[in-house]
Every structure is written in C-alpha cells, then in structure tokens.
Amino acid sequence: MSTITKIAFPDPDLLDDVSSRLSESARSALDLRVWSAEHPDSDPADLDAVILPYLGAESTVAKLDEINDLKLVQAQTTGYDVVNHLVGKVTVTTGAGAHAAATAELAVALVLARLRGLDEAACNQLTGTWDHQRRLSLADRKVTLLGVGGIGEEIRRRLEPFEVEITRVGSRAREDEHGTVYGNDDLAEILPNTEVLIIVTPLNEHTEGMVNAEFLAQLPDGALVCNVGRGKIVDTDALLAELESCRLHAALDVVDPEPLPEDHPLWKAPNTLIAPHVGGNTSAFFPRILGILTEQLERIAAGEEPLNKV
C-alpha cells in the first residue's frame, strides 16, 4: 500500500478519542487533522486518507474531489454503498464489526415484535384496548437469511436458540463451518418455503432492487419480510402493494427513500413495523468503532495491510 501519513477525521472529538489510544510511534508517524463537509478545518488538497462521518457521509464524499491524491477512504459503517464508485480507484475500508451485534439484535427484535404483535400491543396500550389473539411464534418458523457476512453470521448465531429452521443465502453457493450456503440461483426453490425473510445483504449493482415484485410473489401468504440491510435492496412500491393487500408482513429498519417522508403510504401500511435505521446506532457502536479506527491507524503507521478492505 502507498505511504499514508496525512489522515482526516470528520470531527475533533473523534480525532482526540482515537489519538489518545494510539501508540507513541503511531502518533509521531501520522499527521492527523480534522476535515469533512461539516468541519472544513484544514486544506484537504494534500490529504492521503479520509475517515467519513458515521451519519451524513454523502456531503463529505461529494467533496473528496478536492483531494489531489486520495489513497484511502475509511467508512464508519459496514455498508460502503456511498463510496462504491471509488472501489478500485482508491482503497476503501469499512467499519465492519462495529455494528454487527447491534444490528443482529435489532433484526431479531423486529422479527419477534411483528410476529408476536408487539407493535400493535403498543398502539392498543394508548387506547386501553385488550386484544387477545393467538400470534405466530418465532419457534418452528422457516427463516431465510439473505446475506452471510459479519452481520448475517451474528443474526444466525442469535436465531439458533429460537428453534428455527435457518436457510442461508449468499451471492454464491458454498459450504462453510455451519453447513450449506445457497446461492441466489437457488432462491426460486427457497422462497416458497420461507416464512421469515431477513435481508442483510450489501447494496451493490447486483442487489439494488433485488427484492422486487417477482421476488416477493414467490413468498407464501403471511410471510414476514425483515430488512436490516439497505432500503434500496427492496422495491418499495412492490412491497407496499403486498402489504396493502395484507398478503405479507414487514419489519423494516431501512427503507427507500430515507428518511421516509411523513406522508408516505408505507407508514400506514397494514402488518408493518418501521424503525428509523437505528440498527447499528447503539451504545455498543462507539467503543467498537474506536477500537477499529485505532487498530487501523496503527496498521497504517506500520505500513501494514488495512482492516476491512473492500
């Protein structure tokens, strides 16, 4: 990897927190600065690397062309769709690992809440309505996990104690230490037997709009679609049509568009639970991203291969 010394942080607080954890040798080898769209505190022209903001990274990405010889972009998110166009041109690294546990927690929570009707119970509490129904259990459900990366593995681990039948689908078929990973070519056989679909696959040119009308039509009546990946993986209009017909259920942490406009019909779709893209944004995030960024800078200072390289 080309020599990297001049590295920009998105804000001074993050710079101070990471810098205080660096070894003396790393601090002396690196020129750490603050520069982003929100904090243009230095001239970016001679920067080697940029750490993007956790939220609202798009505005900083739009200004990266002000850097003459950019070598590395570090995202704080697991997904890198905001800088996908830079892959192959510069080194792109992610915050993979910082969000895995928290996003997996939310995926399981969303599935449980929708299956057991906890979202409706919360609304009924406001009106004092006692609505006793027999609901679906997560136990004995056939769950298809679309995405087998770090977050997908954490979801798999958390689902195992719930006595479910898990089918994992990746971009290609293979075997690993947990058994069979099916490929996208196998979905036509898998989807008709899927009662809960959890989407955590990355967003790229192959997955954008992947969950479209044809895809959703293959799911059985009453299936639950849970998306904790990226909103654009799912065709919103196609999903909305299935929800408004009450054929499918949804539990969504990500949607398209984001933020979802207040008058968007998805808000009022039946059988639908929506969270505002908070999967990775928990108390676990900050100490974990600090650890990742600290190790990343130690590696860069030592001339080693970076972590989480795309």
Side-chain angles (χ1 to χ4, degrees):
M1 186 175 68
S2 302
T3 302
I4 293 174
T5 57
K6 302 177 181 67
I7 302 173
F9 280 74
D11 62 77
D13 291 339
L14 185 60
L15 187 155
D16 290 344
D17 285 329
V18 173
S19 180
S20 67
R21 289 164 170 78
L22 290 174
S23 64
E24 183 60 37
S25 61
R27 277 199 300 271
S28 62
L30 300 175
D31 177 0
L32 305 181
R33 311 175 184 180
V34 174
W35 178 83
S36 65
E38 291 72 28
H39 293 275
D41 300 351
S42 60
D43 184 359
D46 65 340
L47 287 173
D48 298 316
V50 171
I51 300 171
L52 297 176
Y54 174 55
L55 299 175
E58 293 85 355
S59 56
T60 297
V61 171
K63 296 171 70 68
L64 291 179
D65 58 2
E66 297 179 18
I67 302 172
N68 294 328
D69 188 21
L70 181 64
K71 299 180 179 71
L72 182 145
V73 175
Q74 169 75 55
Q76 294 189 60
T77 54
T78 302
Y80 56 90
D81 42 288
V82 69
V83 287
N84 191 48
H85 62 289
L86 295 176
V87 175
K89 301 175 183 177
V90 302
T91 298
V92 174
T93 56
T94 73
H99 313 85
T103 303
E105 286 176 354
L106 186 65
V108 176
L110 286 171
V111 168
L112 282 169
R114 182 78 286 275
L115 288 176
R116 300 300 300 268
L118 298 183
D119 50 340
E120 295 179 20
C123 292
N124 288 338
Q125 183 175 347
L126 298 177
T127 60
T129 301
W130 188 274
D131 182 19
H132 182 96
Q133 296 184 40
R134 174 170 290 177
R135 301 278 186 170
L136 288 175
S137 173
L138 180 52
D140 303 331
R141 298 276 74 76
K142 295 177 180 178
V143 179
T144 295
L145 187 55
L146 187 60
V148 292
I151 297 175
E153 170 56 18
E154 292 301 314
I155 295 173
R156 184 203 64 79
R157 290 201 311 116
R158 284 161 175 76
L159 285 176
E160 278 197 329
F162 285 93
E163 302 174 27
V164 299
E165 181 181 323
I166 303 175
T167 300
R168 296 176 299 147
V169 180
S171 58
R172 57 181 176 82
R174 58 192 183 274
E175 298 289 326
D176 65 14
E177 65 270 29
H178 304 297
T180 300
V181 176
Y182 294 90
N184 290 334
D185 293 342
D186 299 308
L187 282 169
E189 297 179 11
I190 293 170
L191 292 177
N193 296 308
T194 296
E195 295 175 298
V196 177
L197 173 70
I198 302 178
I199 302 165
V200 70
T201 190
L203 176 64
N204 54 45
E205 64 272 20
H206 303 295
T207 61
E208 184 170 353
M210 175 184 182
V211 182
N212 55 22
E214 180 182 359
F215 184 109
L216 294 169
Q218 296 176 76
L219 292 169
D221 292 353
L224 170 62
V225 177
C226 175
N227 190 4
V228 293
R230 285 290 187 266
K232 289 186 177 181
I233 295 168
V234 177
D235 181 326
T236 300
D237 291 340
L239 178 61
L240 184 61
E242 293 281 15
L243 296 171
E244 290 182 334
S245 72
C246 293
R247 197 183 77 82
L248 297 180
H249 296 243
L252 310 170
D253 184 45
V254 291
V255 293
D256 179 34
E258 283 189 16
L260 195 64
E262 63 180 21
D263 59 349
H264 197 285
L266 192 61
W267 283 117
K268 297 182 179 180
N271 302 329
T272 303
L273 173 60
I274 300 174
H277 200 158
V278 293
N281 198 11
T282 71
S283 57
F285 166 71
F286 193 61
R288 294 183 183 213
I289 197 64
L290 281 184
I292 288 170
L293 294 177
T294 300
E295 183 174 352
Q296 191 74 289
L297 266 62
E298 292 283 358
R299 285 173 173 252
I300 289 172
E304 299 174 358
E305 190 71 8
L307 285 172
N308 297 338
K309 183 178 177 181
V310 176

